C-alpha cells in the first residue's frame, strides 16, 4: 500500500510541479482602464536575452489581465490600448498626424497593477513593485504639467484646421514655459533617487536638460546598482562622445569664411566670451532659438560677448547648401558672425571635430578660449545664468 501511495504522489507531482514552476516564472499585469470596454491591451519589451517580446489580451468591462515572463533585471516596457487615440489635422490638403504617447512602465519580477483612463493611458498609475512605485513618484510630480502639454498638443492640432496662427504661437509659448519649469523637477528627482531604475531610464532621455559636465557628474553620482544594465550603455556612449570637449579644455581652433567673405579665425577672439552655435536652416529648434540668441547678443555684445554660428546644411551640393544658409540668415536677421561648415569641409569639419550629435548644440568659451559648458537644445537657461555670472547682470 505504501508503495502504491508513493507512486501515486510521484505521479501527481510529475504533472503538477512543472505547472507550478511555470507560474513562478511569470508575473501578472492586471488593471482597470475606464472606457476600455472589451477592447484589447498590449505590452512590449525586450527580455533579459535582448529578444523583443509582445503580449496582447482582450479586456472585459474595462478589466484586463496579461501574463508575461518574470525577469532577472527590470525591462522598459510600452503599454497601450487598441483604441484610436492618434491626433490628426488637415490643412491645405495635407494631413498631419501624431500618435498618442504610450504608457511607460517596467516589467521585472513582481505582479503590477494599472489604473486610469483608456483614452489617457499614458497617465495611468502603475504600482506593485519597487521600480514602478518609485517611477510613479516621478510621474505624479510632472503629471499636471504633462497633461497640460498634451492638451496643448490637442489644441494645436485643432487650431491647425482653422489656421489660427496667433493662437498657435500663444499655445507654443505656454508649452515652452512648461517644459522649462519641468527641467529642475526632473533633475531633482534623479538627484534624490540615485538607486532607482527610473533615474537611469530618465537619464537616457534627459541629455538635453543638462550641460555636458552636469550630465557626467549626475551619472557619476548614481548608485552602481543599475550602471551595468543594458540601457546604461546609451548613457556611457553619450558620455564618451561629449567627453571629446570636456569643460576646462582648450577649444578646437578653426578658420572659416563668414557670409560676408571675411576670414574668421577663432584665435582672434581671445579676450572675448564666445558662444559657438551649431545649427542649420533645416532645424526647427535651431531657428526657434535664434530670437533668444539675438537678445543675448544685444545684451552682452558691448561687454565683450560674441556669437559664432556654425551652420551644417543637409544638401550635398555646396551651392544649394550655401543658398539655404544665406536665406535663413536673412530671414532670421542674424546680427552675429555666421560661417558654413559645408565649405572646405574636406580641410576641417567642425561638426566632426567637436563631435556634434544633435542640433542645436551650443558651446560656451571663456575669454581664454577654454570650454565653459556644452549643451544640446535650448531647454534650459544654463547659458543665460553663465553670462549673468560673467558680466554681473
Amino acid at each position: 500500500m505504501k508503495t502504491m501511495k508513493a507512486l501515486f504522489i510521484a505521479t501527481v507531482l510529475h504533472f503538477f510541479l512543472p505547472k507550478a514552476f511555470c507560474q513562478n516564472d511569470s508575473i501578472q499585469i492586471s488593471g482597470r482602464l475606464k472606457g476600455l470596454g472589451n477592447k484589447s491591451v498590449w505590452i512590449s519589451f525586450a527580455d533579459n536575452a535582448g529578444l523583443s517580446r509582445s503580449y496582447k489580451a482582450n479586456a472585459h468591462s474595462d478589466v484586463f489581465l496579461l501574463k508575461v515572463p518574470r525577469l532577472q533585471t527590470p525591462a522598459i516596457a510600452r503599454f497601450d490600448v487598441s483604441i484610436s487615440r492618434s491626433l490628426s489635422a488637415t490643412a491645405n490638403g495635407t494631413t498631419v498626424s501624431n500618435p498618442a504617447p504610450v504608457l511607460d512602465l517596467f516589467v521585472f519580477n513582481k505582479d503590477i497593477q494599472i489604473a486610469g483612463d483608456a483614452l489617457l493611458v499614458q497617465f495611468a498609475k502603475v504600482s506593485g513593485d519597487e521600480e514602478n512605485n518609485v517611477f510613479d513618484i516621478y510621474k505624479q510630480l510632472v503629471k499636471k504639467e504633462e497633461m497640460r502639454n498634451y492638451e496643448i498638443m490637442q489644441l494645436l492640432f485643432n487650431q491647425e484646421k482653422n489656421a489660427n496662427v496667433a493662437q498657435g504661437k500663444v499655445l507654443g509659448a505656454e508649452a515652452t514655459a512648461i517644459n522649462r519649469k519641468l527641467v529642475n523637477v526632473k533633475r531633482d528627482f534623479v538627484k534624490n533617487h540615485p538607486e532607482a531604475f527610473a533615474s537611469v531610464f530618465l537619464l537616457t532621455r534627459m541629455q538635453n536638460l543638462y550641460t555636458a559636465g552636469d550630465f557626467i557628474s549626475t551619472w557619476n553620482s548614481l548608485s552602481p546598482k543599475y550602471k551595468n544594465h543594458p540601457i546604461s550603455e546609451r548613457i556611457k556612449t553619450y558620455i564618451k562622445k561629449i567627453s571629446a570637449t570636456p569643460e576646462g579644455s582648450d577649444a578646437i581652433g578653426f578658420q572659416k569664411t563668414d557670409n560676408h567673405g571675411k576670414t574668421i579665425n577663432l584665435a582672434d577672439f581671445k579676450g572675448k566670451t564666445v558662444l559657438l552655435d551649431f545649427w542649420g536652416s533645416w532645424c526647427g529648434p535651431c531657428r526657434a532659438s535664434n530670437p533668444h540668441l539675438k537678445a543675448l547678443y544685444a545684451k552682452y555684445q558691448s561687454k565683450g560677448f560674441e556669437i559664432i554660428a556654425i551652420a551644417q546644411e543637409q544638401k550635398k551640393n555646396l551651392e544649394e547648401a550655401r543658398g539655404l544658409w544665406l536665406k535663413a540668415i536673412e530671414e532670421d536677421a542674424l546680427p552675429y558672425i555666421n560661417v558654413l561648415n559645408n565649405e572646405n569641409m574636406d580641410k576641417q569639419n567642425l561638426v566632426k571635430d567637436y563631435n556634434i550629435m544633435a542640433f542645436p548644440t551650443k558651446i560656451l568659451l571663456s575669454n581664454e578660449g577654454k570650454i565653459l559648458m556644452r549643451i544640446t537644445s535650448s531647454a534650459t537657461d544654463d547659458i543665460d545664468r553663465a553670462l549673468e555670472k560673467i558680466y554681473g547682470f
Side-chain angles (χ1 to χ4, degrees), residues 35-96:
L36 180 62
N38 298 329
K39 298 287 186 178
S40 60
V41 298
W42 61 262
I43 190 168
S44 62
F45 56 90
D47 64 17
N48 292 145
L51 299 175
S52 295
R53 300 269 192 169
S54 184
Y55 300 87
K56 186 176 181 180
N58 292 324
H60 178 69
S61 299
D62 296 346
V63 177
F64 64 88
L65 173 65
L66 286 157
K67 283 191 176 182
V68 303
R70 186 187 306 273
L71 302 180
Q72 295 176 339
T73 57
I76 301 166
R78 294 162 56 86
F79 178 92
D80 205 355
V81 298
S82 63
I83 298 174
S84 177
R85 301 184 300 122
S86 298
L87 302 175
S88 64
T90 302
N92 300 321
T94 302
T95 299
V96 179

Side-chain angles (χ1 to χ4, degrees), residues 3 55 59 105 114 127 142 159-160 195 269 298 341 362 377:
T3 303
Y55 300 87
L105 70 156
I114 300 173
S127 59
V142 301
Q159 289 292 346
E160 189 172 353
E195 294 194 354
F269 293 86
N341 187 55
K362 296 172 172 56
S377 187

Side-chain angles (χ1 to χ4, degrees), residues 19-162:
K19 183 178 180 181
F21 285 147
C22 180
Q23 288 176 337
N24 288 336
D25 286 340
S26 66
I27 63 170
Q28 291 186 353
I29 301 174
S30 60
R32 179 187 296 272
L33 293 171
K34 180 181 177 182
L36 180 62
N38 298 329
K39 298 287 186 178
S40 60
V41 298
W42 61 262
I43 190 168
S44 62
F45 56 90
D47 64 17
N48 292 145
L51 299 175
S52 295
R53 300 269 192 169
S54 184
Y55 300 87
K56 186 176 181 180
N58 292 324
H60 178 69
S61 299
D62 296 346
V63 177
F64 64 88
L65 173 65
L66 286 157
K67 283 191 176 182
V68 303
R70 186 187 306 273
L71 302 180
Q72 295 176 339
T73 57
I76 301 166
R78 294 162 56 86
F79 178 92
D80 205 355
V81 298
S82 63
I83 298 174
S84 177
R85 301 184 300 122
S86 298
L87 302 175
S88 64
T90 302
N92 300 321
T94 302
T95 299
V96 179
S97 61
N98 188 52
V102 298
L103 174 64
D104 292 319
L105 70 156
F106 308 133
V107 171
F108 192 14
N109 58 11
K110 293 181 180 178
D111 294 345
I112 55 178
Q113 296 80 44
I114 300 173
D117 189 316
L119 291 177
L120 296 172
V121 69
Q122 67 268 36
F123 301 113
K125 181 178 180 63
V126 183
S127 59
D129 62 12
E130 181 182 357
E131 288 71 24
N132 283 295
N133 290 343
V134 174
F135 193 25
D136 190 66
I137 294 173
Y138 164 79
K139 290 179 180 179
Q140 295 307 313
L141 289 171
V142 301
K143 184 175 181 178
K144 180 180 177 182
E145 287 76 13
E146 291 199 343
M147 287 191 76
R148 177 55 184 163
N149 265 345
Y150 187 62
E151 289 174 359
I152 289 172
M153 179 65 73
Q154 291 175 311
L155 289 169
L156 285 172
F157 268 83
N158 291 331
Q159 289 292 346
E160 189 172 353
K161 297 176 183 178
N162 303 321

